[in-house]
Amino acid sequence: MMKKRIFITTLTCLWIFTAIASCKPADENIVNPSPGTGLKGELNKAELPQPVFSENQNLIDLYWKAWELAWGRVKYQTGVFQSPYMDENLWDDTIWIWDTEFMVLFCKYAPHIFPGIESLNNFYQPILNQVPSTLRIQHPDNPAFYSWVEYEYYKMTGDKEHIKRLLTEERFLQRHYYWFDNLKRGTKFNNFGHSWIGLEKRDIGYIWSWTPSGMDNTPRGRGRKGELLWMDALAQQATSALYITRLAEEVGDAATAREFKNLYNHNKELLNSYYWDKQDGFYYDLSEDDHSFVKVKTPTVYWAMLAEVADAAQAQRLAQYATDPNTFGGEYPWPSVSRDDPDYNHEIGDYWRGGIWLPLAYMATKALEKYGYYDMAYENSYKLLTQMYDTYAQFTPHTIWECYSPSRPRPSERQRENGRELVSPDFCGWSALGPISLFIENVIGFYNIDATKNLVEWRKTGHGEQGIKNLRFGNTVTDIVARDNEVTVNSNTDYTLKINGIEYPVKAGNQTLLIP
């Protein structure tokens, strides 16, 4: 039954893509795909949310560039379970778990034309159901936080039937949690060609490896005694257990909710008992031999906040690092290793030795939101998007990059034995999280859009005309635009709009709200 339904969904998705390609709206709404993508058809910009932000037109331009590049990442391929799917922009025969998970978090703004959540089936099916695929899963032990992105997608769409199939029919999320826990280092699965497994569970956490963790050349592990116990692997499993619990509660699966609440509490206890350094106010990786702290600071620490394992006092100490220019703050926020680390590369970033990566920046921003640090989230997001735009405008080719320099508006470079190498261009891919998701959620300020509660929460900052048009969540399509203290709202359904903490009932049709 599950395969039949997904097949129907796939046919529907293909029909939608064909229909969009055949329609001919005004020329300014049409964007041709990037050369060489293999994508047939054109992107109709009228199908997407339309941000309004008179304060800074540059960020609007960057927003549309990100969608244009992302459209080029929609791929069709034979021999895979889900086609079309989102491609990360590296190898046509290979997919990565954490790239795809992060791409879902911007695809959710146009789920009717961007196959974000559907793309996860190209991991669920080969890994858990042994369905053959022509796509290689490069690192099956990549960071696995499916349940978080499934939950965020569910909030945007309100598609409870999808969650019921996920949890009660296929049990993909539960099965993958235990599959991850039972991996053995050195394993190689022949049914979907990939690299060797680097992860293995230990008594108080997980040993892992640098490339499978996603942070290829990070200095993490410097000076360790024995194997490294990776804090983020444990925090990501805590995140998975937390959101499996919440999704199970949504569909009335009390047994699953209890099971994963217990797993969550166990992981939370481990993180706070072993990985938290009270002196520094930081969750560190550990040496397996003696459980000593391995003191290399990276933004992966914010996985612990995203998983809600930190209490208010711990979160406050971690939040301070987000604005400290000697660690993760400053003019160019979110370097991939603290600026006071001896291996931090100020000039070029050298990939994960200082380069600014959108997945870490997005995750850390959502972690700050969890604890109410909205000002920090806004300020760091605005700085990051300004850097991305300045790079787009000033650096050739004029595009969006895999990661960015921690010291100036330009792409990061990677130091090789024979010289420096620029990171990948046209990377949307997860880098679209900045111009699309951080822009909508943290700069314009629509930080909570929840179709399950018919609720939009807007933290309105800045000045001038601002808002969003053609925002879709659940069955609602709405425009919300502010001019000074007057907010014009148009909607096809009723919902609640909360602006700076004050609730306003929105009725179907047009209305004007006056805000303090």
Side-chain angles (χ1 to χ4, degrees):
M1 178 63 71
M2 178 66 174
K3 292 181 181 179
K4 180 178 179 182
R5 288 175 177 171
I6 293 176
F7 178 68
I8 292 170
T9 300
T10 304
L11 286 178
T12 303
C13 205
L14 286 168
W15 179 85
I16 291 170
F17 272 80
T18 304
I20 291 170
S22 64
C23 65
K24 297 294 181 182
D27 290 344
E28 64 269 16
N29 286 330
I30 295 297
V31 175
N32 291 320
S34 302
T37 63
L39 175 66
K40 297 179 181 179
E42 300 168 322
L43 173 62
N44 183 1
K45 292 166 62 177
E47 294 287 332
L48 301 170
Q50 314 280 317
V52 178
F53 199 62
S54 64
E55 176 182 326
N56 192 336
Q57 179 61 39
N58 293 341
L59 301 189
I60 298 287
D61 295 342
L62 190 67
Y63 172 87
W64 290 119
K65 180 65 176 179
W67 278 122
E68 173 190 342
L69 292 171
W71 185 245
R73 302 282 75 78
V74 178
K75 293 291 183 68
Y76 296 85
Q77 187 165 164
T78 58
V80 303
F81 190 87
Q82 170 63 43
S83 181
Y85 65 95
M86 295 303 298
D87 174 77
E88 80 295 323
N89 190 34
L90 188 54
W91 302 328
D92 286 341
D93 67 345
T94 305
I95 51 177
W96 276 258
I97 291 172
W98 80 318
D99 291 66
T100 307
E101 289 168 314
F102 276 116
M103 286 189 287
V104 172
L105 296 171
F106 69 81
C107 289
K108 70 179 185 178
Y109 286 102
H112 56 302
I113 58 174
F114 277 84
I117 209 72
E118 297 87 351
S119 297
L120 297 183
N121 285 310
N122 286 333
F123 304 105
Y124 295 152
Q125 293 291 344
I127 290 174
L128 300 173
N129 287 347
Q130 290 76 54
V131 174
S133 176
T134 54
L135 287 172
R136 298 169 63 249
I137 301 174
Q138 180 69 2
H139 296 291
D141 52 338
N142 250 179
F145 42 91
Y146 298 117
S147 63
W148 174 40
V149 300
E150 289 279 7
Y151 182 82
E152 292 300 320
Y153 175 86
Y154 167 63
K155 281 178 60 181
M156 199 71 182
T157 65
D159 187 357
K160 188 171 286 190
E161 290 304 310
H162 170 73
I163 301 303
K164 287 180 180 177
R165 292 193 298 270
L166 193 70
L167 287 180
T168 63
E169 292 184 25
E170 289 283 6
R171 296 181 59 81
F172 281 143
L173 301 182
Q174 304 98 303
R175 289 163 60 197
H176 191 276
Y177 183 97
Y178 290 116
W179 182 87
F180 194 83
D181 265 7
N182 286 289
L183 288 172
K184 298 298 179 185
R185 174 173 284 183
T187 305
K188 186 175 178 62
F189 299 97
N190 293 324
N191 58 322
F192 45 95
H194 69 287
S195 302
W196 298 95
I197 295 296
L199 181 135
E200 189 170 317
K201 188 175 182 180
R202 295 290 199 254
D203 57 345
I204 64 165
Y206 300 83
I207 63 170
W208 214 357
S209 188
W210 281 253
T211 303
S213 80
M215 302 178 69
D216 307 40
N217 68 332
T218 178
R220 293 172 64 183
R222 186 184 59 237
R224 71 190 184 279
K225 299 171 186 177
E227 287 283 359
L228 184 68
L229 294 172
W230 296 68
M231 181 280 304
D232 47 337
L234 182 57
Q236 286 156 5
Q237 280 292 76
T239 301
S240 293
L242 176 65
Y243 283 100
I244 291 172
T245 302
R246 289 179 177 169
L247 288 169
E249 290 170 346
E250 285 290 322
V251 297
D253 186 349
T256 296
R258 285 193 300 270
E259 176 187 357
F260 280 86
K261 182 65 178 294
N262 290 335
L263 290 168
Y264 169 74
N265 286 336
H266 175 69
N267 292 335
K268 177 178 179 178
E269 175 63 25
L270 289 177
L271 283 160
N272 283 321
S273 296
Y274 291 96
Y275 294 76
W276 176 254
D277 181 1
K278 293 180 181 178
Q279 181 177 347
D280 292 356
F282 206 86
Y283 291 96
Y284 286 116
D285 301 323
L286 302 178
S287 293
E288 187 181 24
D289 284 1
D290 61 4
H291 298 172
S292 60
F293 296 122
V294 182
K295 293 193 173 184
V296 179
K297 294 185 180 75
T298 76
T300 57
V301 71
Y302 294 98
W303 282 109
M305 281 179 70
L306 187 77
E308 302 175 23
V309 304
D311 63 25
Q314 291 169 315
Q316 183 179 30
R317 297 193 71 182
L318 290 173
Q320 291 169 356
Y321 289 107
T323 56
D324 184 348
N326 293 318
T327 49
F328 308 128
E331 184 179 1
Y332 302 105
W334 303 124
S336 49
V337 67
S338 176
R339 287 191 171 88
D340 59 10
D341 189 275
D343 285 314
Y344 166 72
N345 189 313
H346 181 73
E347 184 180 1
I348 64 172
D350 191 17
Y351 227 47
W352 294 98
R353 294 181 173 236
I356 295 169
W357 292 79
L358 268 299
L360 284 189
Y362 184 83
M363 176 276 296
T365 301
K366 300 302 108 177
L368 292 175
E369 281 183 15
K370 288 271 189 179
Y371 291 82
Y373 293 103
Y374 299 111
D375 287 342
M376 290 183 186
Y378 167 78
E379 291 164 8
N380 278 3
S381 296
Y382 209 125
K383 289 175 181 177
L384 176 53
L385 291 181
T386 298
Q387 179 189 19
M388 292 183 74
Y389 176 79
D390 289 346
T391 304
Y392 169 61
Q394 299 169 18
F395 194 88
T396 303
H398 304 294
T399 190
I400 295 171
W401 296 82
E402 183 181 9
C403 59
Y404 289 80
S405 164
S407 59
R408 49 188 172 149
R410 61 169 289 134
S412 179
E413 295 176 78
R414 189 169 185 180
Q415 189 66 51
R416 301 288 194 180
E417 290 184 4
N418 58 348
R420 296 176 180 176
E421 176 184 75
L422 273 175
V423 299
S424 298
D426 298 339
F427 210 87
C428 290
W430 60 24
S431 290
L433 281 169
I436 297 172
S437 300
L438 289 180
F439 184 41
I440 291 173
E441 297 162 18
N442 298 102
V443 174
I444 299 177
F446 292 100
Y447 69 93
N448 183 36
I449 302 166
D450 192 342
T452 71
K453 296 180 174 62
N454 283 323
L455 173 67
V456 175
E457 294 189 82
W458 185 13
R459 184 180 176 275
K460 181 182 174 296
T461 58
H463 54 82
E465 188 178 31
Q466 57 183 294
I468 195 163
K469 297 180 179 181
N470 200 39
L471 174 66
R472 300 167 183 258
F473 61 98
N475 296 320
T476 300
V477 183
T478 187
D479 301 339
I480 310 167
V481 179
R483 298 168 185 84
D484 299 322
N485 69 331
E486 187 175 280
V487 180
T488 302
V489 183
N490 177 269
S491 177
N492 67 328
T493 62
D494 297 352
Y495 67 93
T496 299
L497 174 62
K498 186 181 285 188
I499 306 175
N500 295 337
I502 301 174
E503 288 190 0
Y504 301 88
V506 171
K507 301 296 182 182
N510 295 298
Q511 60 196 285
T512 299
L513 309 174
L514 295 178
I515 60 175

